[in-house]
Each structure stands twice: as C-alpha cells, then as structure tokens.
Amino acid sequence: MTNAPTLDTTDAAANGTLSFEDVLEHVALRREEFARQKFVPRDMIDEFKQIGIYRAATPHRFGGDALPPSEFLRMIERISAVDASAGWVTSFGSALVYLAALPLATQAELYKDSPDLVFAGGLFPVQPAEQVPGGLKITGQWKFASGCKGADILGVGIRGGDSTAGKPRTALLWPKDVEIVENWDVVGLSGTGSHELKVDGVVVPEDWTFIRGGTPTVDEPLYRYPSIAYAAQVLAVVNLGVGRAALDYAIKVGAGRTGITGAPKLADRAYYRIDLAKAEATLRSARAFFYEVTDEAYATVVAGDPVPDKLAALLRLSSTHVAKAGASAVHTAFQLSGTGAIYDGNAMQRYMREALVPPQHAFLGDGIYDSAGAVLMDIPPFPGFI
C-alpha cells in the first residue's frame, strides 16, 4: 500500500474492533500529518496498542504475547511500507525485551494495569547519577528519544558502577518527571518525534534501573534471543518496508499510460524492466537472508540452547545488509522514475528521504561488516557487538 486510500472512518477504534488492515489505512491517511507535526500522536499509538504492537514483547507471565521476532518484524515491515516514521516508532514495541532485566516486582508494577506498554528512551550521552537516599538522583539531557511523546514510560542512560561491572544502565521515569525538548528537525523520518529528554534532579529507585541487554529475570524464549541484535533488526526492517513500497510504486507507474511526449511507456523500455528486476531480486534476497537467520536463532533459544556467536553475528550482518538493500532499491526506483520523481508531490520523494536514515544508525553502519567478518573468522569484534 503506497498511496493513501479513501477511508470511511467509523467508531471501530473506540469499540476496540480495529484490524491490522484498518490501522494500515489510517496510517496512510495520516502520514503527512505525522511528518508535519513531527510525531505520531497518542490516538494513533492507541490504535497500535489495539493490534498488539505494544504487547508483542511483554512477557507471557504479565499477559503479553512475547512474539517470536520474525512475527513482530513482519508487522513492522508492513507498517513501514505505508509510512516509515510510523514503522520506526512501532519498532520500539520490541524494546520491552530490555525491561525483562528488571526485578520481577518492578515488572509486575509496570504491567499491573495492562500488558500494552509504550517505552521510549533517550540513552545517550550516558550521564552520571548521584547515589542518594531512596535511589539515584538523575539529571541531564539525552538525545534521540523516538516516540517519546506517546510513551507510557521513559528511559535515560546513566553510568554503571561496581554492581554493573561498569556497564551503563537505563533509569525508568514517568513522563510527568521528564521534559521533552522538541528539537527534532530532520530530512527523513521526521514523524518519529525523536526529541531530547531532560531530567532535573529526579530520584529513581535502583530497582527501576537495568542494564541494557542485561541478564533477564524472565525465563521465556524471547528474552534469551540476542537483545542487541534484535534492536538492530527492528530498525533495519523499516528500510525493507520502504524499499518494497518504492519498487511497488515503480512497477505501478511503469505500467501506466504513455507519456505526454509520445515516448513508449516505461514498462516498454528494456532498461526499466532490467533494472527493476535486478532491484527486486536484490531486495528479496536480502529479505530471505534476514528472516532465515532470525528464525534459526529463535529456534535455537526455543530449544533451550544459547545462540552461537557466529549466528548472532549473522543477525547483525543481515540487519545492516537489509537496511542498505532497502535504500538501494529506493535509489534504483527513484532513478528509473525520471523527471516526475523530483517533484515534492511524488511518492518517490518521501521514499528517498526515509530510506536515507536507517543506514545512518550506529547499529547499521559499515563497521558492522567488519565486526561480523571478524566473528566469522574467530577474531574478537568490537565490544558490545554481540
């Protein structure tokens, strides 16, 4: 779905009867609104809750779905094909896997009202935290808190200590205790609302902090899946959706009417068909690799075994590869589309802007190829890679 349909909006949302397809149509209708106001609004977040996005990584023991990663990733891929910003924001429905490292009592408190919990975090730069009676006193400002305006709980990155072996921690805060500094002004993924978080002297109990990727206290398969790799996957799959949308658009336009100059329509030109077919093959190949290793890794943890380092490295490698393959597909579709693609109203403009962003993320950069290659050849990668 690449063009906004005409939709007769009903009271389905209020009645809790929305289907996944309903929500995709609503996203298509409102994506320009998201980009213009620079965030996905709370009523849209509530619709995502209804279709299970924000219980997908909640433990079964707290009423959640704890979905296998490939099931969640496919949902984000489809949302991203309609709107990349909505896909990026919903991708953080996976972030509850981090919260599984909290004490069980803290998790029970978080989920006591509902398993549908929206978590957003601004984790960097990591800030010092002062030990005081009652916990840790938090002060500082953190970047890139995607989806923060619709979050139920927020996280900020703080320095660890002896108890964390020096690893940084995340401290959880309620939105009322955090100021959102609205400074998200970007070319692509403008609707993600990735503003900064500012906290001034709030005391957080230590039981409400956790090590990102730390040992989970919940014993369910999803929380044995490599959490850092999963964090990369949910971002990379956004570009898989954007690439799919761009190629679908190019196919639709290419099969259209003859141009005003009388030249053959695009579908009748060999170069158009050849390059489009190559892009299709490249994107589908990257997608197959991506889901193949995802399912292999999850089957490993379901069987009760740890994911081997080389398989974890393939999860990281396939994520970077699919993010770049998606961007390449968009670039090919844009080039093939000719002069029409340079106009603001052309869908290719949106696809180009969005596809530029995911490969810029630190989790998806070219350095991942180096580290993945190192692991495959039994050479230590950089710290924190797997």
Side-chain angles (χ1 to χ4, degrees), residues 172-262:
L172 297 181
L173 301 104
W174 301 111
K176 66 181 179 62
D177 295 322
V178 181
E179 175 188 350
I180 295 175
V181 181
E182 298 190 22
N183 56 3
W184 187 239
D185 187 13
V186 292
V187 172
L189 296 183
S190 58
T192 63
S194 303
H195 302 297
E196 296 187 10
L197 305 180
K198 187 176 181 179
V199 180
D200 187 11
V202 178
V203 177
V204 176
E206 291 206 43
D207 281 353
W208 286 74
T209 72
F210 61 91
I211 299 173
R212 190 182 187 194
T215 303
T217 57
V218 176
D219 185 19
E220 296 178 17
L222 179 60
Y223 312 102
R224 298 194 295 270
Y225 189 86
S227 59
I228 300 301
Y230 197 21
Q233 288 184 290
V234 299
L235 303 180
V237 80
V238 171
N239 251 20
L240 190 53
V242 179
R244 179 71 268 153
L247 291 182
D248 285 349
Y249 184 78
I251 291 168
K252 177 182 177 181
V253 171
R257 293 176 297 192
T258 301
I260 60 172
T261 64

